[in-house]
Structure formats: structure tokens, C-alpha cells
Amino acid sequence: MTGKKNAVLRMTQGAFAVAMCLGFQAPAQAYSQLYVFGDSLSDTGNIGRWTFDSSSHQLYDEILAKNIGTTLTPSSQGGLNYAEGGGVAVPGLDSEYTTQDQVKSYLNSTGGKADPDGLYIHWIGGNDLAAAALSLNPISAVEIATNSATQAASQVNDLLKAGAGTVVVPTVPNIGLTPVLMEGIIQVGLLPVQQQALEATYQYLNAQNTPDNDARTEAIHNALKASTTAGLDSELVQDLLSKGLIAAYDALKSVAGELTDTYNTTEDIALAKTGGNIARVDINGLFNEVIADPNLYGFANTAGTACPVGTSASECTSNLPGFDSSKAFLFADHFHPTPQAHALIAEYMQSVINGPLEVTALNQGSLALARNTQGLLDSRYQQLRSQDNDAGTFGMFGGYAGQSADSKINPSLGEGDLTSNSLNIGMDYQMTDRWMMGLMISGSDDKQDPTDHYSYRTRGWMATAFSGVKIAENGWINGDVHYGSLNYDDINRSIKLGPTTRTERGDTDGKQIGGRLTAGWDFPVLPVLKTGPVAQYSWDYSSIDGYSEKGNNSTSMRFGDQTSHSQIGALGWRLNAELGIVNPYAQVTYDRQFSDNTYTATGAIKSTRTHFSRTTGEQDKDWVDMTAGLNVQLTHSLSAFAAVSQTTGLDSGEQTSYNAGISARF
């Protein structure tokens, strides 16, 4: 095709690039409010606040509320936190507070309709399990645990049926690992001297560091021995009692652990049958990991308590006589975590909630290669239009193309950088004076960092078939289709847990297919200058396989398949100059996205049966792309080209595309 009388097609380098990247740069769809149902672990003031210095420290749910841009107020004060200290799942367990009543109270206040944009937490079971473990009847204990778990799942189902958006359902931590179990053994076995015994127990226990499970168990056993010295002078009696206490503790700890597993498994199975958008988080697993290596998470003692003996966390302050500030404790009192532990829980929950949202960034990798390929191909189109090629002319070309852009998935995820690079080689053949066809192969190997906590590497190839036709004297039509295959290697999702950062890793594959149709008309203005309109329609479809992270931790997740669609229309105006061997050009286009404006991914903790989804915020639908480029005829058969494109008018930030290469004709 002859091309000196035609204009450049550069719009797609910016238009397509931006449209497909926007879903990952735009703010994520925000939750409207946080709604909480539970017991003392979640109560922020209905009955009390169960951690020390609670007036100056936030509980985990208050931290989560802050993360989504809202505040959490007790329902007794007109707020959305219905959790009550002492709460159980169902009536009949010696408590007047139940999550059954809490959920009913919320739904009654809304006419039975739950907020579809809300984030919900339903966390219950600790008091239920305590009642089961202390029943001392194995059959009734299992019945209590399974019934409470089933009813808890039913309440979650009630919320979902009423239209609730996402319900976070934490597993219940093993009550066998709480100090209350040890206290119960002492209170029964050393009833006449229980107060002195408890004081002696904690005096010893709090002085210890518990760097692992074995050290923790040894410290508790020795503390139980110390408890027998209170009010008992006989060493023989002390020895007999200590052995009995240790045996009773070990047995009850085992029973409590089994009941906890029964409760969590029963609830998990029931939740899976319910379906719905359930974000199951494994707090039990997290606490087991903390106890196995507390130093890693900033704790020194996982067996004792910071608060004085007999003082509830709801009444505990750090200036009380007997408060232990010598080290970082996991427990504030015999049942409730410290503020440091609450912060850890919040960090963990937030990482799970954010997981699917971060994974939507993989779409960027599947589309980056296509964007770069089309950018360089546009430069080749421009070259062909600026040359007088007779039928039978064969051409070869190759070069580099790249892009850089800001990445803003969600404010809570931090900002990242999206950079992509590709090497491209192609050939084309002039079928007639007005008709050209060609093929191009592209490859990439990029490292992407879309958020502060998520990164991945993409390696892939793409094949593109393209054609161009000259219309009359000043018009032209170009079209191209492409198919690409990508490997996502070294996917890293980092989770901050107190002073440490854990990294979960995975890998997966993806495919991408698409095409463009572009038309332009160039009006001669001067002998060396032409100008005219340009229009384009482009479409793209990408799919990414789901994957599971390789770890088996409380933080390890699995993610479902993803797809994305794009349909973009663009209208613009261009200038094209022919100054001897130099051909500079410029173009401005207005671009409009007509297809997907959000992107969704599903995820779940690997150890659970449920799953939930997150959706990005709506991307910009309109933007402006500005392009400038240059072709240079080095010899009769050898030419060079380069172009840069800048996108403006985006809430998500600016984006720059660039390419350079060389071509030859024969």
C-alpha cells in the first residue's frame, strides 16, 4: 500500500492501554458500613470492652471499621455493633445474650432487609465451647458444640438471605489454649486455697518466656506445681496434687481442642451448604501459629496474663496494682486477647478480605503484552503509509515497546507501579498496491508491583495477524487480531502480622484474544502537511486460571478463575507531516469504554469450604490520549521509528506508552 498520503493510527496504544488498566487503578468498591454480631471478643461497649486500657486501644473490629472508612458504635448507642460480652449462639447456655437475638434485632430494625453493600462479622462460639468443655459429659459436650455451630451458620444464612453483602465468619480459637482452662482446674482441685493458688500460679507463669509450644506446656505444668505450694506444707501432698492437676489439665486441654475442631468443622460444613459471600477467616489457625512461634509476632508470653489475677479485661488498666508490663502477653485476662493481639487479628482479617481484590491485578499482566504489541504495530502502520510500496514488496520489522502507569486498586492496599516491556518481530507483504497483510510475534518477561503487598512476574508470547487497505486517495482501513498465552510466575502476596511479614506464593496461566478495526481520512493542507479524522473500535477478552497458594498456613488462600472484557470506541484528529526523509506525526483521541467497568475475583482460605468475591470500583469510562511519533528513512530500504503516548483525564493517574524499532523492505 502507498502511504505518504495517509495518516497515523496511534490511538490504540493509549486508548486500549488505559481502558484495560483502569479496573486495577480505580478505587475498589467500598463497603458502606461494618455490622458486627458476637461475644466479648467483638463487643465495643454494649456490655463492656474486653481488653486492657480499652479506652485508648481499639478492638479488632474497630480497626477494620477504620480501614473501610467508617466507625463502629455499640448498638446500645444507636450503632451497628450488636456484639455482647458473654454472648452465645443460642439460648440455653446460661447466658441472656445470643447472636440469635442480635441478628433478629438488626433485621427487625431494617424491615428484614440487610445492607447489600455492607461488610458483616459474625463471630461466636467461645462461650459455647467453654460451656461444653466444663460440662464434663462427653456426649452433651459434643451436642452443645455441634448445635451451637449449626445455629451460628443458620444465623449467617439469615443475613445472606436478607441481602447481606459479605459476611466474615472467623473460626473459634482453641479454648484449650486459654488460661481459663488452667484456672478452672485450680479452682476445682484447690478449692480451699484457690485464690492463693492462682496468685502463685501466675506469679510463676508470668515470669516465663514461652518461645514455643513445648516451652509453653512446660511453663504451665511448672505453674500448676507452684499452685500447690499455696497453703500446703506437706511436700508429699503437694506432689500428689500437682500430678493430679497436670493430668487433669492435659486431659481437659485435649477435650477442649477436640471440641473446638468439632465446632469449627461443623460450622464450616453448614456454611458451605448455605452458600453466599462468606469470608471464612481462620483465627484458630492464626493463634496456633502465634503460640508455636510467638517471638515472630511480637509476643513473649502466651500462657500468662497482663491483668492482675481475678481482674476482668473489661475493668483492667495498665496502672492497676499487679498489672504486668514486663513483657508482651497474648492474653489480657484469662480469656481475652491483649490490644496487641487485637491489632494482629485485624491485620490478618484485612489481608483475607483484600486477597481477591489484589488478585484482580493479574488482568493487567494478560493485557500488557497486547497493549505493547498494538503500540508497536501502530508505528509500523504509520511507516507503511509513508512509503510507496509496490505490489510484491516484502517487509520486516522489529523493536521494543513498553508502558508505565500508576496502580491504585484500593487506598488500603497502597499504591504500586505497573511497567511492561516487550520485544516484537514481524513481517508484512504488499499483496496489491492498496492491500497489505502481515504477521507479528511478541514476547515479554515482566515483574509487576500493582500494590504494596502484591507482585507477580508474567512471561508470555502473542501472535498478531494484521492487514491494511487504502481507500480512494486519502482514506485507509487497518485491522488486526491477536492471541496470547501467559504464565504468571512468582506471584507473591505479602501479609503484615505484627512485626513480621509473611509471603504467600503461587502461579497460574492466562490467555488473551482480541482485535481492532481502525479507519482514517487525511486531507491535504499543504504539500508537506495532511490532517484528518480517525476512528477505531477495539475489543479484548482475557481469562486467567484460578490458583491456590503453595503454603498451608492460616493465611494461605485459593482464588477462582477470572475473565475480563473490553470494548472501546475512539474518535480523534491527527496531523501528519512529510519533511523529506523525516515523517513526524501527532494525534489526539477521545476514548470511551463500552464494556466491563469493574473486575471481580473470588477467594477463600484454603482450609475452609466457603468462598467470597471482591469487585473493583468502576473504572473511568472516558479519557483523552495524546500521541507523537517520528519515522526516519535511513536508506531506500531501511527505516527507523519511535513514538510516545500520554493519557490524561483519568482519576486513577497518568499513563505513558512508548516504542521504538527499525524496519527493512525488499
Side-chain angles (χ1 to χ4, degrees):
M1 132 190 319
T2 59
K4 289 186 176 181
K5 300 178 181 180
N6 298 299
V8 68
L9 170 60
R10 284 291 305 146
M11 67 73 59
T12 186
Q13 182 173 353
F16 183 79
V18 173
M20 301 311 296
C21 186
L22 291 178
F24 317 108
Q25 294 177 332
Q29 183 180 22
Y31 293 114
S32 60
Q33 296 286 345
L34 179 64
Y35 304 81
V36 181
F37 311 92
D39 53 26
S40 56
L41 292 174
S42 307
D43 189 353
T44 57
N46 283 318
I47 307 299
R49 294 174 59 88
W50 275 267
T51 195
F52 67 75
D53 290 336
S54 61
S55 62
S56 57
H57 289 117
Q58 292 185 319
L59 274 61
Y60 81 92
D61 45 4
E62 293 173 305
I63 299 173
L64 285 180
K66 182 180 179 180
N67 289 345
I68 68 172
T70 188
T71 57
L72 192 62
T73 304
S75 59
S76 58
Q77 302 174 26
L80 302 175
N81 187 352
Y82 293 83
E84 298 167 308
V88 293
V90 293
L93 293 180
D94 195 28
S95 176
E96 59 183 300
Y97 308 114
T98 70
T99 47
Q100 177 179 286
D101 291 338
Q102 295 170 22
V103 172
K104 286 182 179 179
S105 178
Y106 164 64
L107 293 178
N108 288 338
S109 71
T110 63
K113 301 293 185 181
D115 181 1
D117 298 320
L119 178 65
Y120 297 76
I121 297 175
H122 188 285
W123 192 11
I124 198 67
N127 295 316
D128 303 70
L129 287 174
L134 297 175
S135 70
L136 303 179
N137 185 324
I139 297 176
S140 63
V142 172
E143 290 177 348
I144 292 171
T146 55
N147 181 57
S148 290
T150 302
Q151 294 302 315
S154 178
Q155 294 159 22
V156 173
N157 187 39
D158 290 340
L159 289 170
L160 293 169
K161 288 193 299 182
T166 300
V167 186
V168 179
V169 187
T171 60
V172 178
N174 183 0
I175 62 166
L177 299 178
T178 64
V180 72
L181 206 71
M182 180 186 66
E183 287 192 9
I185 294 295
I186 293 173
Q187 289 169 343
V188 173
L190 300 174
L191 181 61
V193 294
Q194 61 175 284
Q195 186 60 35
Q196 303 99 303
L198 286 173
E199 291 176 354
T201 299
Y202 281 108
Q203 182 179 4
Y204 176 88
L205 196 58
N206 284 5
Q208 311 304 308
N209 288 331
T210 56
D212 52 41
N213 262 313
D214 290 341
R216 183 180 192 272
T217 299
E218 182 179 2
I220 292 173
H221 286 177
N222 289 336
L224 289 171
K225 291 179 181 178
S227 71
T228 64
T229 63
L232 298 173
D233 297 326
S234 172
E235 292 185 2
L236 178 61
V237 174
Q238 292 176 8
D239 183 61
L240 291 172
L241 282 174
S242 64
K243 290 180 179 179
L245 292 175
I246 292 171
Y249 171 80
D250 289 344
L252 191 57
K253 177 185 174 184
S254 177
V255 170
E258 292 173 358
L259 287 173
T260 301
D261 291 341
T262 297
Y263 182 98
N264 287 330
T265 301
T266 301
E267 186 178 31
D268 206 49
I269 293 172
L271 290 171
K273 293 178 180 178
T274 295
N277 217 37
I278 300 173
R280 189 83 156 128
V281 293
D282 191 8
I283 302 298
N284 184 39
L286 176 65
F287 267 53
N288 286 335
E289 291 162 359
V290 170
I291 288 173
D293 190 2
N295 292 331
L296 186 64
Y297 305 96
F299 298 98
N301 186 301
T302 62
T305 65
C307 297
V309 177
T311 302
S312 170
S314 63
E315 302 172 346
C316 180
T317 62
S318 55
N319 58 9
L320 280 177
F323 184 90
D324 194 335
S325 58
S326 64
K327 55 178 63 70
F329 288 90
L330 179 63
F331 293 101
D333 63 10
H334 63 190
F335 204 66
H336 301 98
T338 58
Q340 185 177 340
H342 271 283
L344 182 72
I345 293 170
E347 288 177 326
Y348 168 61
M349 285 189 180
Q350 191 69 58
S351 75
V352 176
I353 294 169
N354 288 344
L357 192 62
E358 291 184 300
V359 171
T360 61
L362 291 178
N363 286 283
Q364 171 66 17
S366 68
L367 298 163
L369 182 54
R371 297 194 297 268
N372 290 335
T373 296
Q374 292 178 327
L376 189 131
L377 183 57
D378 289 341
S379 290
R380 180 55 177 165
Y381 282 144
Q382 174 67 16
Q383 276 196 326
L384 293 172
R385 287 191 295 270
S386 67
Q387 296 174 350
D388 289 320
N389 291 331
D390 297 325
T393 301
F394 176 76
M396 293 192 68
F397 64 97
Y400 162 84
Q403 291 191 37
S404 62
D406 297 329
S407 176
K408 301 176 183 177
I409 298 176
N410 185 291
S412 67
L413 303 181
E415 297 185 5
D417 297 312
L418 298 171
T419 58
S420 59
N421 307 272
S422 69
L423 294 177
N424 312 266
I425 187 169
M427 57 185 177
D428 44 62
Y429 186 74
Q430 200 73 37
M431 307 295 292
T432 69
D433 290 344
R434 293 181 175 271
W435 176 32
M436 171 275 300
M437 296 185 68
L439 294 171
M440 181 169 65
I441 298 294
S442 308
S444 67
D445 189 344
D446 298 319
K447 188 74 167 68
Q448 305 283 11
D449 297 282
T451 79
D452 290 344
H453 312 291
Y454 194 80
S455 65
Y456 60 92
R457 178 188 179 194
T458 56
R459 295 181 297 108
W461 61 268
M462 178 165 287
T464 304
F466 59 93
S467 182
V469 178
K470 179 181 178 181
I471 307 297
E473 186 66 24
N474 298 307
W476 47 266
I477 297 176
N478 294 325
D480 49 81
V481 294
H482 58 264
Y483 173 84
S485 177
L486 292 101
N487 301 113
Y488 299 87
D489 299 326
D490 197 26
I491 303 174
N492 294 318
R493 186 174 62 90
S494 300
I495 303 102
K496 185 178 182 302
L497 297 172
T500 192
T501 298
R502 179 185 296 175
T503 300
E504 298 287 355
R505 296 178 171 82
D507 55 72
T508 188
D509 301 309
K511 294 179 174 61
Q512 201 263 339
I513 187 171
R516 303 181 299 171
L517 186 65
T518 313
W521 194 276
D522 297 326
F523 298 101
V525 179
L526 297 171
V528 296
L529 181 65
K530 295 180 181 179
T531 187
V534 63
Q536 184 187 73
Y537 171 81
S538 64
W539 66 272
D540 253 272
Y541 170 83
S542 70
S543 63
I544 301 170
D545 296 338
Y547 72 97
S548 291
E549 293 172 332
K550 298 177 181 180
N552 290 302
N553 309 304
S554 64
T555 50
S556 302
M557 298 184 70
R558 65 180 189 277
F559 302 100
D561 297 343
Q562 296 184 66
T563 61
S564 64
H565 303 80
S566 175
Q567 298 181 63
I568 306 165
L571 291 173
W573 203 266
R574 46 179 274 101
L575 293 170
N576 183 59
E578 297 179 3
L579 308 175
I581 63 171
V582 180
N583 170 219
Y585 58 91
Q587 178 177 290
V588 177
T589 60
Y590 167 78
D591 302 44
R592 175 80 174 179
Q593 168 71 270
F594 295 100
S595 188
D596 292 349
N597 62 349
T598 61
Y599 298 88
T600 300
T602 61
I605 293 295
K606 285 176 62 178
S607 60
T608 66
R609 297 169 173 83
T610 60
H611 66 271
F612 69 104
S613 64
R614 290 293 309 273
T615 300
T616 63
E618 292 188 0
Q619 66 182 41
D620 294 286
K621 284 185 171 292
D622 308 89
W623 60 91
V624 174
D625 180 69
M626 299 178 293
T627 301
L630 185 71
N631 295 318
V632 181
Q633 192 75 37
L634 302 176
T635 68
H636 174 74
S637 59
L638 193 66
S639 301
F641 59 83
V644 61
S645 180
Q646 183 69 45
T647 308
T648 61
L650 300 173
D651 294 334
S652 53
E654 295 185 347
Q655 181 171 300
T656 304
S657 306
Y658 33 83
N659 67 79
I662 194 166
S663 65
R665 56 179 175 175
F666 308 94

